[in-house]
Amino acid sequence: MADDLTVSWSDAIARAEAHAPFLRRMMEMRPDLVSDIRAGKLDAAMQRALALQPSTIDEAGMANLVIARQLRLARGDMMLALALGDLAGALSFQQVARALSDFADVCLQSALESIFARRYDCAPTGFAVIALGKLGGHELNYSSDIDPIFLFDPETMPSRRKETPHDAAQRVGRELIALLSERDGDGHVFRVDMRLRPESEVSPMVLPIRSAISHYESRALTWERAAFIRSRQAAGCETLGQYFLQEIQPFVWRRSLDFGTIDAIGELTRRIRAHHKGEQLPAPGFNLKTGRGGIREIEFFAQSQQLVHGGRNPELRSGNTLEALAALATEQIIAGDQAEALSQSYVKLRTIEHRLQMVEDRQTHSLPEDMPALNNVAQLHGLADSEVLIQQLRSVCSMASTHYDDLLVRQGVATGADPDEDEGVSLFSDEEPVLIAELSDMGFADPKSIAGRLADWRSGKVKALRTPQSRAAFENQIGALFAAIREEQGDVDAINRLDSMLQQLPSVLDLFHLLAARPALIGILARLLCHAPALSKALAMRASLIDGIVDASIFDRQDDLAAIIAELEQRDGCDDLGLMLERVATDIAERRFAIGVQLIEGRTDPLDAALDYSRIAEATIAVVTDRVTQEFVQQHGQVPGGELVILAMGRLGGEALTHASDLDLVYLFTGAHDARSDGPKPLSGTQYFNRLAQRVSAGLSLPTATGPLYEVDTRLRPSGMQGLLAASMESFWDYQRKKAWTWEHMALCRARPVYGSQQARNGLSHGIAGLLGSGRVAEAIAKDALAMRGDMAKAKPPKGPWDAKLAGGALVDLEFCIHTQQLIHGQGLSPHLGQALAMLVDHKLLSPDLIEAHNFLTRLLVMSRLVTPQDNSPAEASRPLVAQACGMTQWDEVTEHYQYYTDIVRAARIAILGAIPTLDHG
């Protein structure tokens, strides 16, 4: 028995090392944990991880371990233990999924306790976390998001002075998400997906409990009922959570038999199948979750029967899919052999899903299209090759699909992916006077002009609308789209943007069929047309971007730098540099568009969006520079001992880009400036790296249909525009030590190396820290900073009353406060403003109130740059979106907070630097 166990562990560890880079890295960092597991101490290892006692930290180190690192390290232990136990056959799928879910609960609770203890010096009260999705069903994926709903009770939620319970709850919610999802060298804990909360497009992150109950009692949808089958109280105030779940029981479990639920789920199935038109059976690229006969169809099978019968039979209400299938069989709702077959299929699909995710700890559900990668997954599972794996999956999915289709057919639900379309019926009159009256009744300010536009579309002037099928699809949806535009207070500008988009489309069939199949997309498209000029322009130039909204992945974070780089490098499958750059530009446009959609839809915190914009830019720099350098080396060879190093400054340096941000870059190079390259056309070091830098800038500034890929600004280099584009490290340091002005050292406070070898980056970062950390004469620095801020106020006055960057008391003032204190005291030396500010607060060099001011003003800036890029004064119709992005419900709250926080920042700047007449009058 012991020998068999030893062989099992040895084989599992060998497969993990050979086929799962993530697990291999985890094992290399945790040799003692691997030894324990190999010795049969798996359960003890799991219990230590569940107790948040990382294997890499001794007892003495635990006392000084911050909660974020403690959770991340414990997560690494748990993931490694579960993976090896799974691969060795020591743990069943159910045990793995339950352990992951239990660990997520512990992390949620521990994180909440830490936040409440620090903010309010009490245990979590008045705040509850409701788990939905796979976490709610105790069947979490190996690399899954968690899907919670956050609730608070205004009567029991603690708050600070000048903080309402609502504000307190939102701050706790945002901090909880950040603590769990932010990634560093130890990885992350869990990605948090808040899209299952009620009306997530407009609702605050944390919901008042009465508002949430009211939603589910009055206007919730079928899919929300299905979501709450897998709901439970996971963390926070148990009394509050259980009260909420008890109150919404009548919404989830209706006493009357509700076969309309199956119709709704059948329609959802048809749409899913319609938008996944690849292989009908498993093959390379097959999606185990959404493919035919996949995980989702088995879950829908169980959930539909639970919703139909669970109101009368409480035995059917388990949130766990396997338990639900067993209960349905026990209660004779489905046949026992059917339940057993579906359960076996579910376990097989989920197990292979776990194998996919073990490779690199990525939340993926699709089989690799690349055959070596698919073979790797099969061998990780212990199979000979991908052919065996595909055959097993085909058998599983074929059987599951048959059972699922039989269920829908019995209820009279169509299951095909391409049903015949109904003939279009015009929702608007063809007679001009009547049409103008209809448009006027809808609230359009210039109905005559818009009627003329509609007449042009109907006349065939737009190529995409010339066929009867196109016109029918168009007429079926245009009324709903116009109504959605008016609901967003859009008018002629939005219609003109729609016209620009239609003019570019080769056909409107896909677009309007898509809107018919996914009515929610009508609202999204209307919001983009009404509130996001940059995104509307992108759609007009590349209407195919709308296709991405169908895929829920458009709402995924873009914060994994390594993953973005890897995905961009996949675009580099051609010899032609220009073609490669065009492909990268297309990919980047899609990613930046996705973040813009997330902001407009309220699916992401603008602070997260700023980070994601930055990660995308940094990945672009890495991939473009690598490829440009490869081609450059073919012509000119390499400079011995030399390499290009890129230093990001400004908002990119601080990882806080907006949709409209430039890239502030400084090009540096190592090695001797007069060394010669060794290629066919040799150059001196200075010539070599300056020409290379020019080409990199050109690649990053590649013209696209919607403008340059990025605007590159290199004016922060030594000596500015008069200096060489690329400076040697030696000359850079000589300049910084002997010639640089105070403002240049202030700019250096947000400098961050983003390209070059790790050794070169580390050396550059160390040198910057040493230069800035030496401390300076307070009076001189404050005097220089005041003069610079005054000059900036004259040269760049605020663009409007809501200029969150340039107005008095806005972000530039806060930056001056932070950088001045950094230079004077040599403390808080992080390029990230938020981190630097927190460090300076810890050293009692700045007020804690400035942290909330920074977060509020940054959110306002990021959103303003998207909805009103010209003057930073949100239009009346766009103000609710901006308020939502700032964590508020009303524009009046935004104005109050803006005044409050700018007063705080202005007071701090006056105290540190002094007053500036143009900013501080009155």
Side-chain angles (χ1 to χ4, degrees), residues 141 164 192 203 225 247 322 328 453 623 690 774 876 909:
N141 284 340
T164 66
V192 182
S203 64
R225 286 185 62 208
E247 286 294 298
L322 295 175
L328 288 168
R453 185 74 73 189
V623 172
N690 273 272
S774 57
E876 191 79 26
R909 190 251 300 149

Side-chain angles (χ1 to χ4, degrees), residues 426 428-430 435 454-460 471 474-475:
S426 175
F428 284 124
S429 173
D430 288 322
L435 176 58
L454 261 171
D456 287 343
W457 294 340
R458 287 167 162 170
S459 70
R471 276 284 304 280
F474 166 82
E475 296 287 0

Side-chain angles (χ1 to χ4, degrees), residues 1-11 88:
M1 185 70 173
D3 289 341
D4 290 342
L5 185 61
T6 301
V7 170
S8 179
W9 286 120
S10 298
D11 178 62

Side-chain angles (χ1 to χ4, degrees), residues 252-329:
V252 183
W253 305 111
R254 296 175 182 170
R255 293 288 296 169
S256 59
L257 295 179
D258 186 9
F259 289 101
T261 297
I262 294 186
D263 293 344
I265 289 178
E267 175 61 13
L268 179 58
T269 300
R270 187 189 68 77
R271 293 175 185 173
I272 291 171
R273 289 179 173 180
H275 295 298
H276 291 272
K277 296 181 179 180
E279 288 283 337
Q280 296 299 304
L281 292 174
F286 181 81
N287 191 306
L288 298 177
K289 181 176 181 179
T290 59
R292 187 181 291 266
I295 293 167
R296 180 165 285 171
E297 290 193 358
I298 299 174
E299 292 173 342
F300 282 179
F301 182 103
Q303 289 168 6
S304 64
Q305 296 301 298
Q306 286 179 286
L307 288 177
V308 168
H309 301 282
R312 290 178 176 268
N313 189 342
E315 299 297 322
L316 301 175
R317 297 180 184 179
S318 172
N320 183 278
T321 302
L322 295 175
E323 292 177 4
L325 289 169
L328 288 168

Side-chain angles (χ1 to χ4, degrees), residues 420-467:
D420 294 335
E421 297 292 335
D422 295 332
E423 290 190 13
V425 178
S426 175
L427 301 181
F428 284 124
S429 173
D430 288 322
E431 299 180 17
E432 184 179 19
V434 178
L435 176 58
I436 291 174
E438 290 174 342
L439 294 169
S440 179
D441 289 342
M442 293 181 75
F444 286 104
D446 188 359
K448 185 173 182 180
S449 173
I450 295 174
R453 185 74 73 189
L454 261 171
D456 287 343
W457 294 340
R458 287 167 162 170
S459 70
K461 290 183 179 179
V462 176
K463 182 180 179 180
L465 287 168
R466 290 175 183 170
T467 67

Side-chain angles (χ1 to χ4, degrees), residues 50-83:
L50 201 60
L52 303 182
Q53 297 176 352
S55 63
T56 54
I57 304 295
D58 58 24
E59 289 185 10
M62 285 294 295
N64 298 317
L65 192 61
V66 297
I67 183 66
R69 188 156 193 255
Q70 182 181 2
L71 294 176
R72 289 167 185 155
L73 292 175
R75 190 249 187 192
D77 287 0
M78 180 62 81
M79 299 299 277
L80 179 57
L82 290 176

